[in-house]
């Protein structure tokens, strides 16, 4: 995957970029907002990883400008601004995911993978298939081998999320965020990728 | 007073006074002008009428009796009233005086003013009318215009006096108002300077007259109280960071130093790194918790508040924690009524309930059961989380909401000691009450929310210290009793 990393902290940027390269991604690094915007507009990246507090144009406005210009490259905010309001404003600006520093690298890798495979929002899927499992989003039914499976609403949501990310690592926090709408990590068993 | 005078003259109220005086004065001037003019005209007309009626009478005599009769009548009239108010003059064609008590005039026909010699005063002004006679002479009749002049003088005098008085009063009042205004502004700016100098508890004194200044001062004081809470919260966080992050950071440093001195193998280094990472995670967790509490206590925007389906929220939390309870071999049960609605921030409420459940799970041994139950009354919704753990001794309950407070026996269990502080901060934001009671054995934590048809919490609801500054409406006070202090904690 071709990833653009917009982050001004050199050390952290290198850490993230090298880690993602080890995962087999192509990573370009820029350190300022203006530069990032130009790069993001020009070269067909599959994903942008954006820090919110960067010199020049800040991350939030960068993404807003990008979206206003009709560019729909998925954006992952990677930021130290972890307040409730901050996350909401980030997602409202057009971000697709929001990861708060500090983070476990495995969490970042999983989210990057999830965003990269994400089907473009313009193509609305109504049926998901994994092997012989079939999930119909319109009638909200699940069949295996053509046999109907009864599911609770939450179970349906969970299955849908997993099927959309078939073959990928999905972390517990990702599930909590997308299925249960819980945006903090329950501490009893500290963040542990599933 | 004199030193302050230039400043008074510069005040907006004084300028406003001047403007009022100017426009009011102009309109009064116009009014008086019109009045003066109208009165003059009226008086002149009545003088004209008096003169004209006399002339008509004399002209009639002339027509009937001829020159001799007119002369006789004029002489008779002059004899009767030598000093006015009517004066007569009969002149022949050459201009010589035939009869009368006026000096000869050469004005020909028409109306004019003239001066009359009088015994009382050197000159009396008279309003005269001359007509030409058939023989080429002139008949002039004049009337003393004293009443008109007197009235004019009176009007001018009344106008002058009242204008001077009003001007004096207006200037005086304006100055007084400005002084008063300046004094109140000065009080406010003095308070502002004190606050800038670091006295955050300073408030602007209120005069209690209920005027617009008092209203402004009340608003400013409320703002100051709110700011003080926010500043205090930041200060508290920096203190907390100094006290409670330094310790684990020191430990981390020691661990690294120890590794540097003692670790000989790759395995040793790996173990040391692992230990450092978990130390670091604990520090980050504490740090995050502190920031979050500070954020909430300094006033999370209550504009985010919506009606939240509490039943659904509780079920979600239970769903999430049930597997974790199973891992710890604990039983997590719930008895949740449907359709419970509260007013608040969904995310924070979720966090609050989660923290209470986490707290119960953390401090209960394996095999314990934890229950969540809801109950309602017409005005309140209560959520009770009870466990069968060791509970909290009554005398300790006062302290558990304090940051980093941990019961002696829980020092060894992991945790930052911030969980319940966060619960309290969120509850305060939602004006919800917290009650700790004995579950015999175990602890029961009850959260009490307002029913949503109750008036929603005040927009600027804040953490505890704010509430001293601004008393809550009576309907809410029942929800924030001393129970957070653990004193009304029921049977122990």
């Amino acid at each position: 995957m071709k990833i653009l990393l917009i982050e001004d902290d050199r050390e952290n940027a290198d850490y993230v970029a090298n880690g993602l390269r080890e995962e087999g991604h192509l990573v370009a690094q820029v350190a300022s907002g203006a530069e990032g915007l130009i790069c993001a507009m020009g070269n067909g990246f599959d994903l942008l990883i954006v820090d919110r507090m960067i010199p020049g144009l800040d991350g939030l406005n960068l993404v807003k400008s990008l979206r206003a210009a009709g560019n729909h490259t998925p954006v992952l905010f990677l930021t130290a601004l972890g307040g409730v309001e901050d996350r909401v404003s980030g997602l409202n600006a057009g971000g697709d995911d929001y990861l708060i520093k500090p983070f476990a690298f495995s969490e970042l890798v999983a989210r990057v993978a999830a965003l990269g495979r994400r089907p473009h929002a313009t193509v609305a899927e109504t049926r998901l298939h994994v092997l012989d499992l079939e999930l119909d989003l319109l009638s909200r039914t699940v069949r295996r081998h053509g046999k109907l499976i009864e599911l609770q609403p939450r179970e349906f949501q969970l299955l849908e999320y997993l099927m959309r990310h078939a073959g990928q690592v999905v972390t517990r926090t990702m599930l909590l965020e997308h299925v249960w709408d819980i945006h903090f990590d329950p501490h009893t068993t500290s963040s542990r990728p599933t | 007073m004199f030193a302050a005078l230039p400043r008074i003259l510069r005040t907006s109220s004084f300028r406003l006074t001047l403007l009022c005086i100017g426009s009011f004065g102009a309109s009064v001037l116009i009014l008086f002008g019109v009045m003066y003019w109208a009165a003059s005209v009226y008086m002149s007309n009545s003088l004209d009428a008096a003169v004209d009626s006399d002339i008509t009478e004399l002209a009639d005599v002339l027509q009937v009796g001829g020159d001799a009769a007119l002369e006789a009548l004029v002489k008779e009239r002059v004899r009767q009233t030598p000093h006015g108010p009517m004066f007569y003059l009969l002149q022949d064609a050459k201009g010589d005086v035939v009869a009368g008590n006026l000096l000869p005039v050469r004005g020909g026909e028409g109306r004019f003013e003239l001066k009359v010699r009088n015994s009382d005063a050197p000159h009396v002004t008279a309003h005269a009318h001359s007509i030409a006679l058939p023989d080429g002479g002139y008949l002039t009749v004049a009337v003393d215009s004293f009443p008109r002049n007197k009235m004019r003088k009176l009007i001018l005098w009344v106008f002058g006096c009242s204008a001077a008085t009003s001007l004096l009063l207006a200037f005086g009042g304006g100055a007084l108002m400005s002084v008063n205004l300046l004094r109140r502004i000065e009080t406010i700016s003095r308070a502002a300077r004190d606050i800038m100098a670091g006295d955050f508890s300073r408030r602007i004194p209120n005069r209690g007259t209920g005027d617009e200044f008092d209203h402004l001062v009340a608003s400013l004081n409320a703002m100051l109280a709110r700011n003080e809470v926010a500043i205090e919260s930041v200060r508290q966080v920096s203190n907390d960071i100094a006290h409670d992050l330094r310790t684990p950071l020191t430990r981390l440093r020691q661990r690294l130093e120890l590794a540097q001195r003692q670790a000989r193998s790759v395995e040793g280094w790996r173990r040391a790194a692992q230990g450092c990472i978990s130390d670091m995670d604990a520090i980050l967790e504490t740090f995050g918790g502190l920031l979050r509490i500070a954020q909430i206590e300094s006033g999370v925007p209550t504009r985010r508040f919506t009606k939240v389906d509490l039943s659904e929220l509780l079920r979600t939390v239970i769903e999430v924690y049930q597997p974790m309870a199973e891992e710890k071999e604990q039983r997590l049960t719930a008895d949740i009524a449907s359709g419970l609605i509260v007013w608040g921030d969904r995310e924070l409420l979720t966090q609050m309930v989660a923290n209470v459940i986490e707290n119960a799970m953390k401090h209960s041994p394996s095999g314990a059961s934890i229950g969540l139950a809801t109950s309602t009354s017409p005005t309140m919704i209560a959520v009770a989380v009870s466990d069968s753990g060791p509970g909290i001794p009554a005398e300790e309950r006062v302290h558990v909401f304090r940051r980093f407070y941990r019961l002696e026996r829980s020092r060894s269990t992991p945790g930052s000691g911030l969980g319940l502080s966060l619960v309290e901060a969120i509850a305060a934001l939602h004006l919800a009450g917290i009650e700790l009671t004995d579950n015999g054995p175990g602890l029961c934590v009850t959260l009490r929310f307002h029913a949503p048809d109750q008036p929603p919490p005040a927009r600027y609801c804040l953490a505890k210290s704010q509430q001293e500054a601004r008393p809550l409406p009576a309907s809410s006070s029942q929800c924030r009793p001393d129970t957070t202090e653990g004193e009304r904690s029921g049977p122990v």
Side-chain angles (χ1 to χ4, degrees):
Chain A
M1 207 191 293
K2 210 174 153 194
I3 299 172
L4 176 63
L5 176 66
I6 307 171
E7 159 73 278
D8 64 324
D9 179 55
R10 194 58 202 250
E11 210 162 303
N12 188 37
D14 286 347
Y15 168 73
V16 171
N18 290 334
L20 288 173
R21 283 184 192 119
E22 277 172 31
E23 292 286 321
H25 299 294
L26 281 171
V27 185
Q29 283 172 255
V30 292
S32 85
E35 218 180 325
L37 185 62
I38 295 166
C39 269
M41 296 292 279
N43 318 312
F45 286 101
D46 300 313
L47 175 68
L48 309 179
I49 300 179
V50 183
D51 184 11
R52 275 189 62 170
M53 292 189 283
I54 41 177
L57 188 66
D58 72 283
L60 207 61
N61 285 322
L62 186 152
V63 173
K64 276 186 192 162
S65 315
L66 209 58
R67 293 293 185 247
N71 185 318
H72 295 290
T73 315
V75 168
L76 168 65
F77 278 114
L78 190 59
T79 171
L81 293 176
V84 175
E85 293 268 278
D86 299 321
R87 200 191 60 247
V88 172
S89 64
L91 296 182
N92 284 345
D96 297 271
D97 204 352
Y98 204 96
L99 189 57
I100 291 158
K101 292 177 190 174
F103 53 91
F105 199 78
S106 52
E107 185 74 38
L108 176 68
V109 170
R111 283 170 190 257
V112 165
L115 282 177
R117 296 268 186 91
R118 201 145 117 152
H120 282 287
T122 44
V123 190
E125 276 180 289
T126 57
R127 271 163 202 273
L128 301 172
H129 294 274
V130 173
L131 299 177
D132 56 352
L133 190 63
E134 186 191 320
L135 183 142
D136 190 323
L137 289 167
L138 293 180
S139 62
R140 301 198 77 78
T141 51
V142 180
R143 285 169 201 280
R144 181 164 203 171
H145 276 312
K147 207 180 121 198
L148 197 69
I149 302 173
E150 292 276 333
L151 284 183
Q152 298 289 321
R154 188 82 75 194
E155 293 167 338
F156 185 88
Q157 271 174 282
L158 181 59
L159 184 62
E160 180 196 336
Y161 189 78
L162 290 173
M163 284 176 81
R164 281 189 190 277
H165 300 95
Q168 295 170 11
V169 175
V170 173
T171 65
R172 207 171 63 127
T173 47
M174 285 161 76
L175 284 180
L176 283 173
E177 280 177 24
H178 292 103
V179 181
W180 280 273
D181 194 23
I182 284 181
H183 297 273
F184 57 91
D185 195 19
H187 307 120
T188 355
T189 47
S190 63
S191 58
R192 184 190 56 177
T194 45
Chain B
M1 175 78 193
F2 274 100
L5 206 58
R7 220 183 135 193
I8 290 171
L9 298 184
R10 274 184 283 126
T11 58
S12 58
S13 62
F14 197 78
R15 273 184 232 159
L16 201 69
T17 312
L18 284 189
L19 191 73
C20 281
I21 292 175
S23 56
F24 184 69
S27 61
V28 166
L29 205 64
I30 291 170
L31 187 73
F32 268 98
V34 170
M35 224 168 84
Y36 184 81
W37 175 77
S40 294
V41 167
Y42 172 76
M43 289 305 282
S44 298
N45 286 347
S46 59
L47 292 178
D48 281 347
V51 170
D52 287 353
S53 78
D54 239 15
I55 283 185
T56 314
E57 200 185 324
L58 290 173
D60 286 348
V61 169
L62 177 67
Q63 220 162 27
V64 174
D67 288 349
L70 177 63
E71 194 185 323
L73 182 61
V74 168
K75 278 183 176 154
E76 171 61 18
R77 289 271 177 92
V78 168
R79 196 182 56 78
Q80 276 172 2
T81 57
H83 306 302
M86 301 304 288
F87 301 94
Y88 302 89
L89 180 65
L90 188 60
Q91 288 168 287
D92 60 18
K94 284 180 287 191
D96 292 335
V97 176
V98 179
N101 51 358
L102 285 174
L103 291 177
V105 291
R106 289 186 216 297
E109 273 192 316
R111 296 179 195 280
F112 49 92
E113 300 285 317
L114 50 76
K115 297 225 186 310
V116 181
R117 249 209 311 262
N118 196 302
S119 58
D120 299 337
H123 296 292
V124 168
T125 323
H127 191 72
H129 189 190
S130 282
I131 53 164
L133 297 175
D135 64 352
Y138 288 99
L139 172 65
T140 306
V141 176
V143 63
D144 190 349
S145 56
F146 176 75
R148 188 187 66 183
N149 292 351
K150 190 178 177 187
M151 202 196 65
R152 280 181 178 169
K153 266 188 204 141
L154 187 73
I155 290 178
L156 282 177
W157 189 80
V158 165
F159 175 62
C161 279
S162 57
T165 317
S166 336
L167 271 181
L168 215 66
L169 279 178
F171 272 104
L176 208 69
M177 201 164 82
S178 307
V179 168
N180 196 17
L181 209 68
L182 267 185
R183 198 177 299 138
R184 299 205 68 176
I185 296 278
E186 192 49 46
T187 321
I188 295 177
S189 65
R190 207 178 305 125
R193 278 196 295 273
D194 284 355
I195 291 164
M196 274 192 285
D199 181 6
F200 295 116
S201 60
R202 180 87 155 76
R203 293 292 176 270
I204 305 163
N206 214 333
R207 289 213 307 203
T209 50
D211 60 5
E212 68 278 13
F213 259 97
D214 272 8
H215 189 72
L216 174 70
V217 165
S219 299
L220 286 176
N221 279 343
M223 180 186 82
L224 290 173
R226 189 189 180 291
N227 284 353
E228 192 192 358
V229 172
I231 292 166
E232 185 48 46
S233 160
V234 169
R235 190 180 288 165
Q236 174 81 37
V237 168
S238 45
N239 286 347
D240 290 346
I241 288 173
H243 286 128
D244 291 85
L245 285 181
R246 204 168 260 168
T247 319
L249 281 171
T250 310
R251 212 163 47 220
L252 178 66
R253 190 174 194 286
Q254 284 163 351
R255 199 194 282 274
L256 284 168
E257 270 185 5
L258 204 68
Q260 205 172 34
R261 270 211 312 271
Q262 294 180 346
R264 294 282 170 268
S265 63
V266 172
E267 183 51 36
W269 278 109
R270 195 189 300 279
R271 258 208 312 278
Q274 194 55 51
C276 289
I277 289 175
S278 51
D279 275 2
M280 206 64 229
D281 280 345
I283 292 169
L284 287 171
E285 191 188 315
T286 304
F287 186 69
L290 280 175
L291 280 183
R292 218 175 156 90
I293 292 173
Q295 219 179 19
I296 292 164
E297 285 192 345
S298 61
V300 160
T302 42
R303 68 185 143 80
R304 273 171 48 93
F305 277 23
T306 50
K307 280 190 175 174
V308 177
D309 184 345
L310 188 65
S311 310
E312 187 265 342
L313 184 150
L314 292 174
R315 282 194 198 106
T316 304
V317 176
I318 292 293
E319 228 172 72
V320 168
Y321 278 90
Q322 230 146 16
M324 295 177 208
E326 275 166 28
E327 271 176 35
K328 284 193 77 182
E329 293 173 357
Q330 292 169 336
R331 246 162 48 85
L332 179 57
T333 56
D335 175 17
I336 302 163
S338 288
L340 300 178
I341 306 286
V342 294
W343 185 260
D345 180 290
R346 186 180 189 282
E347 195 163 332
L348 292 178
L349 288 173
T350 309
Q351 174 117 49
M352 168 161 73
V353 176
N355 275 23
V356 173
I357 293 178
E358 249 174 49
N359 191 63
M361 284 169 62
K362 198 153 47 185
H363 298 293
S364 299
S366 291
S369 56
I370 294 145
L372 184 147
T374 61
S375 59
T376 54
S377 76
T379 54
M380 307 296 275
I381 295 171
V383 178
V385 176
S386 51
D387 63 56
S388 54
I392 299 176
E395 65 276 11
E396 298 253 32
R397 283 179 201 149
V398 189
H399 306 297
V400 291
F401 294 112
R402 239 164 42 195
R403 280 169 212 183
F404 300 110
Y405 185 82
R406 306 181 65 184
L407 299 181
E408 217 30 68
R409 56 162 193 274
S410 353
R411 291 267 168 212
S412 52
T413 49
S416 57
L418 287 172
L420 286 181
S421 304
L422 189 58
V423 169
E424 198 208 8
I426 297 174
L429 184 73
H430 288 83
L431 296 180
I434 312 174
E435 220 172 293
L436 300 185
T437 45
D438 198 24
N439 196 32
L443 177 72
C444 179
V445 180
T446 310
L447 304 169
R448 288 184 197 285
F449 298 95
H450 286 279
D453 48 335
Q454 294 295 101
R459 270 190 72 74
Y460 300 111
C461 53
L462 281 174
K464 41 212 162 157
S465 41
Q466 164 74 2
Q467 305 195 350
E468 293 155 13
R470 193 179 48 76
L472 291 165
S475 63
S476 348
S477 61
Q478 57 182 340
C479 191
R480 268 199 64 82
D482 304 328
T483 42
T484 47
E485 308 292 324
E487 281 160 17
R488 266 189 29 197
S489 301
V492 177

